[in-house]
Amino acid sequence: MIDLRSDTITKPTEEMRKAMYEAEVGDDVYGEDPTVQKLEEKAAEILDKEAAIFVTSGTQGNQIAVLTHCQPGNEVLLEEDAHIFYYEGGAISAFGGVQTRTIKGKRGAINPNDLRNAIRGEDVHFPETGLVCLENTHNRAGGAIVPIENMRELHQVAQEHSIPVHLDGARLFNAAAELAVPVKAFTEHTSTVQICLSKGLGAPIGSIIAGSEPFIRRARKWRKRLGGGLRQVGVVAAPGLIALTKMADRLKADHERARRLAEGIRNITDLKINNQVETNIVVVETEATGKSVDEILSTLKAKGILAVPFGPTTIRLTTHHQITDEHIDQTLIAFQNLFEKVK
Ligand code: TLP
């Protein structure tokens, strides 16, 4: 199978598996797992924050960040298609008692004036704005890179109102690799950041939240409350450390393959590409084929290609370290055979 459903499906490399076997471990709830400590220290250094905490998933990382930043009754500002709003089961409302207010962005970027207008003033009727959440790269904007300058402006607006900024950086390393800048060029415009070790970076499990020391201390309590305090978890942190320190350099190859895939699909008469393909996500518009998304996905599956639905007439293809140049060729041939008419 050529699995283009997501970069979450990546399997650990041989080096990661060996590191898991050899990992030194201890009880991390007691703060005694040396491998977790090493991972958290390295992550704080790379993300340029005082401290970091290892959590089980991107969703858990975002939840802990919101719960630590906010009080029940707060309003959280997010881009209209943010993962936290769109794909996390309403968790921040369910667990944090916060309400969400979305702002329509352009390719994942919120206009700073729109943010300014959405921040609540002093009024007995209003909820307090507790947090601004950004996302980079932006998943539903097709892996778009939110410009650093936009993040700087949004951070400035939030700071003027003493509101913290959390970055869902599940794919932040993709943005940094594509622009050839260190991740701290983005994180300096945030209060906290969540990054996923288990997407393009290839670790089997895990995310990191980074922020100030007092914030991370409070986040540890929320992680424990949510049942995310783990014991001899160095076996999982060990591949995470390899993901963090050795896998970022190869992300650009995923982006190049995604662009080649998009170019090939663009040549097929009834298909269009809906996004700019800056990183590893390709969004295909299928409306003109007259076939339903389900029909297209099951025909592709029968040809050994997996993708996911992304909207009523769109599908998403995502490249990652298990997708080779040959896989791209084979996928393009399958698309051409399926739709026949090539421009
Ligand atoms: N995204 C997954 C699905 O949940 C849609 C995917 O296949 O893309 N933030 C962003 C921007 C994400 O894309 C994801 C995962 C998460 C957070 C959540 O990460 P996990 O899956 O580790 O909870």
Side-chain angles (χ1 to χ4, degrees):
M1 278 287 176
I2 301 173
D3 197 341
L4 294 156
R5 284 174 300 170
S6 183
D7 46 12
T8 58
I9 67 98
T10 47
K11 295 189 178 143
T13 61
E14 281 309 304
E15 188 185 1
M16 287 180 186
R17 288 178 189 273
K18 193 160 176 281
M20 291 172 88
Y21 182 77
E22 289 171 355
E24 258 190 84
V25 296
D27 189 324
D28 186 47
V29 173
Y30 289 105
E32 289 172 4
D33 190 302
T35 311
V36 173
Q37 281 167 6
K38 223 162 138 185
L39 172 64
E40 292 178 343
E41 277 161 27
K42 193 74 197 163
E45 181 194 318
I46 293 174
L47 296 166
D48 203 22
K49 299 287 180 200
E50 283 173 14
I53 179 172
F54 183 48
V55 296
T56 54
S57 68
T59 302
Q60 191 187 58
N62 285 334
Q63 296 318 310
I64 291 173
V66 174
L67 289 164
T68 309
H69 278 298
C70 294
Q71 299 296 321
N74 278 178
E75 188 164 72
V76 176
L77 300 178
L78 312 105
E79 201 279 327
E80 190 175 68
D81 271 337
H83 192 279
I84 295 176
F85 177 72
Y86 197 97
Y87 282 124
E88 296 186 12
I92 62 172
S93 302
F95 304 138
V98 297
Q99 69 179 29
T100 51
R101 184 170 185 194
T102 57
I103 304 172
K104 193 173 174 49
K106 203 168 162 201
R107 304 191 55 247
I110 297 171
N111 181 311
N113 278 332
D114 294 343
L115 178 67
R116 189 174 278 111
N117 293 337
I119 292 172
R120 303 286 193 155
E122 265 306 309
D123 188 309
V124 72
H125 300 90
F126 291 165
E128 254 172 56
T129 307
L131 181 66
V132 174
C133 289
L134 307 180
E135 184 175 318
N136 210 353
T137 63
H138 194 293
N139 184 344
R140 289 203 57 81
I145 300 172
V146 174
I148 295 171
E149 180 54 21
N150 176 256
M151 286 187 58
R152 193 191 62 73
E153 288 174 352
L154 295 172
H155 188 217
Q156 196 179 321
V157 172
Q159 275 179 320
E160 283 163 18
H161 295 83
S162 305
I163 298 166
V165 173
H166 172 68
L167 173 64
D168 175 355
R171 297 188 179 83
L172 185 62
F173 283 84
N174 292 80
E178 188 56 30
L179 298 186
V181 296
V183 281
K184 68 178 182 189
F186 297 93
T187 60
E188 69 172 311
H189 305 302
T190 67
S191 317
T192 56
V193 55
Q194 178 277 121
I195 56 127
C196 288
L197 301 166
S198 65
K199 299 205 164 48
L201 298 180
I205 301 172
S207 273
I208 293 283
I209 316 169
S212 70
E213 249 171 43
F215 180 91
I216 296 300
R217 210 174 312 121
R218 287 187 291 121
R220 274 188 204 286
K221 184 149 256 180
W222 269 114
R223 185 184 68 175
K224 189 73 184 82
R225 282 182 183 134
L226 294 175
L230 301 177
R231 305 296 178 174
Q232 288 70 31
V233 71
V235 287
V236 176
L241 199 52
I242 294 170
L244 189 66
T245 54
K246 297 194 177 171
M247 298 292 282
D249 286 349
R250 50 152 316 284
L251 292 172
K252 245 191 134 189
D254 295 343
H255 305 168
E256 272 147 28
R257 290 194 179 103
R259 281 193 280 268
R260 196 158 72 77
L261 185 60
E263 267 159 42
I265 292 175
R266 228 180 249 122
N267 281 331
I268 299 170
T269 313
D270 286 340
L271 297 178
K272 278 202 298 208
I273 300 298
N274 260 2
N275 63 327
Q276 210 167 294
V277 195
E278 288 178 279
T279 57
N280 64 332
I281 292 178
V282 179
V283 182
V284 186
E285 172 60 63
T286 62
E287 192 174 12
T289 65
K291 294 185 168 96
S292 74
V293 162
D294 281 353
E295 209 181 330
I296 292 171
L297 290 176
S298 55
T299 317
L300 283 171
K301 191 174 177 183
K303 289 175 180 274
I305 292 154
L306 298 176
V308 286
F310 209 50
T313 59
T314 49
I315 64 173
R316 187 189 76 172
L317 307 167
T318 307
T319 55
H320 50 77
H321 80 81
Q322 276 155 234
I323 296 295
T324 62
D325 286 334
E326 292 70 45
H327 290 149
I328 300 295
D329 294 337
Q330 288 165 25
T331 305
L332 286 174
I333 291 169
F335 268 86
Q336 281 158 9
N337 290 342
L338 184 55
F339 300 100
E340 278 160 9
K341 287 172 280 180
V342 176
K343 280 176 203 161

